[in-house]
Coordinates of all heavy atoms in Angstrom, one line a residue:
R1 N -19.4 71.4 28.1 CA -19.5 70.8 27.0 C -19.6 71.9 25.8 O -18.9 71.9 24.8 CB -20.7 69.9 26.8 CG -20.7 68.4 27.1 CD -21.8 67.7 26.8 NE -21.8 66.3 27.1 CZ -22.8 65.5 27.2 NH1 -24.1 66.0 27.0 NH2 -22.7 64.2 27.5
A2 N -20.3 73.0 26.1 CA -20.4 74.0 25.2 C -19.3 75.0 25.2 O -19.0 75.6 24.0 CB -21.8 74.8 25.5
C3 N -18.7 75.3 26.3 CA -17.7 76.3 26.5 C -16.3 76.1 26.6 O -15.5 76.8 26.2 CB -18.2 77.3 27.6 SG -19.9 78.0 27.6
C4 N -16.1 74.8 27.1 CA -14.7 74.4 27.5 C -14.7 72.9 27.5 O -14.2 72.3 28.6 CB -14.2 75.0 28.7 SG -15.2 74.9 30.2
P5 N -14.9 72.2 26.5 CA -15.2 70.8 26.4 C -13.8 70.1 26.8 O -13.8 68.9 27.2 CB -15.4 70.4 25.0 CG -15.0 71.5 24.2 CD -15.2 72.8 25.0
N6 N -12.6 70.6 26.7 CA -11.4 69.9 27.1 C -10.9 70.3 28.5 O -9.8 69.8 29.0 CB -10.3 70.4 26.1 CG -10.6 69.8 24.6 OD1 -11.0 68.7 24.5 ND2 -10.4 70.7 23.7
A7 N -11.7 71.1 29.1 CA -11.3 71.4 30.5 C -11.4 70.2 31.6 O -12.3 69.2 31.2 CB -12.1 72.6 31.1
T8 N -10.8 70.3 32.6 CA -11.0 69.4 33.7 C -11.7 70.0 34.9 O -11.4 71.0 35.3 CB -9.5 68.8 34.2 OG1 -8.8 68.3 33.2 CG2 -9.6 67.8 35.3
L9 N -12.7 69.3 35.3 CA -13.6 69.7 36.4 C -12.9 69.2 37.7 O -12.9 68.0 37.9 CB -15.0 69.3 36.3 CG -15.9 69.5 37.5 CD1 -16.1 71.0 37.7 CD2 -17.3 68.8 37.2
L10 N -12.6 70.1 38.6 CA -12.1 69.7 39.9 C -13.3 70.0 40.8 O -13.6 71.0 41.2 CB -10.9 70.6 40.4 CG -9.8 70.7 39.3 CD1 -8.6 71.5 39.9 CD2 -9.2 69.3 38.9
Q11 N -13.9 69.0 41.3 CA -15.1 68.9 42.1 C -14.9 68.9 43.6 O -14.5 67.8 44.1 CB -16.0 67.7 41.5 CG -17.4 68.1 41.5 CD -18.1 67.9 42.9 OE1 -18.4 68.8 43.5 NE2 -18.1 66.6 43.3
Y12 N -15.2 70.0 44.3 CA -15.0 69.9 45.8 C -16.2 69.9 46.5 O -16.3 70.3 47.7 CB -14.2 71.1 46.1 CG -12.7 71.0 46.1 CD1 -11.9 71.5 44.9 CD2 -12.0 70.5 47.1 CE1 -10.6 71.4 44.9 CE2 -10.7 70.3 47.1 CZ -9.9 70.7 46.0 OH -8.5 70.6 46.0
V13 N -17.4 69.6 45.9 CA -18.7 69.8 46.6 C -19.2 68.5 47.2 O -19.0 67.4 46.5 CB -19.8 70.3 45.6 CG1 -21.1 70.6 46.1 CG2 -19.3 71.6 44.9
N14 N -19.7 68.6 48.4 CA -20.4 67.3 49.0 C -21.9 67.3 48.6 O -22.5 68.3 48.4 CB -20.1 67.4 50.5 CG -18.8 66.9 50.9 OD1 -18.4 66.0 50.4 ND2 -18.3 67.6 51.9
P15 N -22.4 66.1 48.6 CA -21.7 64.8 48.9 C -21.0 64.2 47.7 O -21.4 64.0 46.6 CB -23.1 63.7 49.0 CG -24.1 64.4 48.2 CD -23.9 65.9 48.3
M16 N -19.6 64.1 48.0 CA -18.7 63.9 47.0 C -18.9 62.7 46.2 O -18.9 62.6 44.9 CB -17.3 63.8 47.7 CG -16.2 63.3 46.6 SD -15.8 64.7 45.5 CE -15.2 65.9 46.6
A17 N -19.2 61.5 46.8 CA -19.4 60.4 45.9 C -20.7 60.4 45.2 O -20.6 59.9 44.0 CB -19.5 59.1 47.0
I18 N -21.8 60.8 45.7 CA -23.0 61.0 44.8 C -22.8 61.8 43.7 O -23.2 61.6 42.6 CB -24.1 61.4 45.8 CG1 -24.5 60.2 46.8 CG2 -25.3 61.8 45.1 CD1 -25.5 60.6 47.9
N19 N -22.1 63.0 43.9 CA -22.0 64.1 42.9 C -21.0 63.3 41.9 O -21.4 63.5 40.6 CB -21.2 65.3 43.5 CG -22.1 66.1 44.4 OD1 -23.2 65.8 44.4 ND2 -21.5 67.0 45.3
T20 N -20.0 62.7 42.2 CA -19.1 62.1 41.2 C -19.8 61.0 40.4 O -19.6 61.1 39.1 CB -17.8 61.6 41.9 OG1 -17.1 62.6 42.7 CG2 -16.8 61.1 41.0
W21 N -20.5 60.2 41.0 CA -21.2 59.1 40.3 C -22.3 59.8 39.5 O -22.3 59.4 38.3 CB -21.8 58.2 41.4 CG -22.3 56.8 41.0 CD1 -22.5 56.6 39.8 CD2 -22.5 55.6 41.8 NE1 -23.0 55.2 39.8 CE2 -22.9 54.7 41.0 CE3 -22.3 55.5 43.2 CZ2 -23.2 53.4 41.5 CZ3 -22.5 54.1 43.7 CH2 -23.1 53.2 42.8
G22 N -23.0 60.7 39.9 CA -24.1 61.3 39.1 C -23.5 61.9 37.9 O -24.1 61.9 36.8
L23 N -22.3 62.7 38.0 CA -21.8 63.4 36.9 C -21.4 62.4 35.8 O -21.7 62.6 34.6 CB -20.5 64.1 37.4 CG -20.8 65.7 37.8 CD1 -19.6 66.1 38.4 CD2 -21.2 66.5 36.7
A24 N -20.8 61.4 36.2 CA -20.4 60.2 35.3 C -21.5 59.6 34.6 O -21.3 59.2 33.4 CB -19.4 59.2 36.0
E25 N -22.6 59.4 35.3 CA -23.7 58.8 34.6 C -24.4 59.6 33.5 O -24.7 59.1 32.4 CB -24.9 58.5 35.7 CG -24.5 57.4 36.7 CD -24.5 56.0 36.0 OE1 -25.3 55.7 35.2 OE2 -23.6 55.3 36.4
R26 N -24.4 60.9 33.8 CA -25.0 61.8 32.7 C -24.0 62.3 31.7 O -24.5 62.7 30.6 CB -25.9 62.9 33.4 CG -26.6 63.8 32.6 CD -27.9 63.1 31.8 NE -28.7 62.4 32.8 CZ -29.8 63.1 33.3 NH1 -30.0 64.5 32.9 NH2 -30.7 62.6 34.0
F27 N -22.9 62.6 32.2 CA -21.8 63.3 31.4 C -20.5 62.6 31.4 O -19.4 63.1 32.0 CB -21.6 64.8 31.8 CG -22.8 65.7 31.6 CD1 -23.8 65.7 32.6 CD2 -22.9 66.4 30.4 CE1 -24.8 66.5 32.4 CE2 -24.0 67.2 30.2 CZ -25.0 67.4 31.2
P28 N -20.4 61.4 30.9 CA -19.3 60.5 30.9 C -18.0 61.2 30.0 O -16.9 60.7 30.3 CB -19.7 59.2 30.3 CG -20.9 59.5 29.5 CD -21.5 60.6 30.1
D29 N -18.3 62.1 29.2 CA -17.3 62.7 28.4 C -16.5 63.7 29.0 O -15.5 64.1 28.6 CB -17.9 63.1 27.1 CG -19.0 64.2 27.3 OD1 -20.0 63.7 28.0 OD2 -19.0 65.2 26.9
I30 N -17.2 64.3 30.1 CA -16.4 65.4 30.9 C -15.3 64.8 31.8 O -15.5 63.9 32.5 CB -17.5 66.1 31.8 CG1 -18.5 66.8 30.9 CG2 -16.9 67.2 32.7 CD1 -17.9 68.0 30.0
K31 N -14.2 65.5 31.7 CA -13.1 65.1 32.5 C -13.3 65.7 33.8 O -13.4 66.9 34.0 CB -11.7 65.7 31.9 CG -11.4 64.9 30.7 CD -9.9 65.4 30.2 CE -10.1 66.7 29.4 NZ -8.8 67.2 28.9
Q32 N -13.3 64.7 34.8 CA -13.6 65.3 36.2 C -13.0 64.4 37.2 O -12.5 63.3 37.0 CB -15.2 65.0 36.5 CG -15.7 63.7 36.4 CD -16.7 63.4 37.5 OE1 -16.7 63.8 38.5 NE2 -17.6 62.4 37.1
V33 N -12.6 65.1 38.4 CA -12.2 64.4 39.6 C -12.7 65.0 40.8 O -12.8 66.2 41.0 CB -10.6 64.4 39.5 CG1 -10.0 65.8 39.6 CG2 -10.1 63.6 40.7
G34 N -13.1 64.2 41.8 CA -13.6 64.8 43.0 C -12.4 64.8 44.0 O -11.7 63.9 44.1
L35 N -12.3 66.0 44.7 CA -11.1 66.2 45.6 C -11.6 66.5 47.0 O -12.5 67.2 47.0 CB -10.2 67.3 44.9 CG -9.6 67.2 43.6 CD1 -8.9 68.4 43.1 CD2 -8.7 65.9 43.6
C36 N -10.8 66.0 47.8 CA -11.2 66.2 49.3 C -10.0 66.4 50.1 O -8.8 66.0 49.6 CB -12.0 65.0 49.7 SG -12.5 65.1 51.5
H37 N -10.0 66.9 51.4 CA -8.7 67.1 52.1 C -8.7 66.1 53.3 O -7.9 66.4 54.3 CB -8.6 68.5 52.4 CG -9.7 69.2 53.1 ND1 -10.2 70.3 52.4 CD2 -10.6 68.8 54.0 CE1 -11.3 70.7 53.1 NE2 -11.6 69.9 54.0
S38 N -9.6 65.1 53.3 CA -9.6 64.4 54.5 C -8.4 63.4 54.7 O -7.9 63.3 55.9 CB -10.8 63.4 54.3 OG -10.8 62.5 53.3
V39 N -7.6 63.1 53.6 CA -6.5 62.3 53.8 C -5.4 63.2 54.4 O -4.8 62.8 55.4 CB -6.1 61.7 52.4 CG1 -4.6 61.1 52.6 CG2 -7.1 60.7 51.9

């Protein structure tokens, strides 16, 4: 928010679903996507 508010966060950290959900709850303005290679 402070340094690159227009950036996209590519989130590769587990637990992916908990992290993605938690980020959206507190920072809904941040552009993010959780990425995995399981597929």
Side-chain angles (χ1 to χ4, degrees):
R1 272 184 180 169
C3 301
C4 51
N6 295 317
T8 300
L9 174 61
L10 310 185
Q11 210 283 109
Y12 272 99
V13 183
N14 277 321
M16 176 65 67
I18 289 172
N19 293 342
T20 301
W21 197 338
L23 274 166
E25 288 291 319
R26 184 67 61 88
F27 291 89
D29 54 306
I30 294 295
K31 292 184 283 186
Q32 60 140 331
V33 60
L35 297 176
C36 180
H37 44 235
S38 59
V39 173

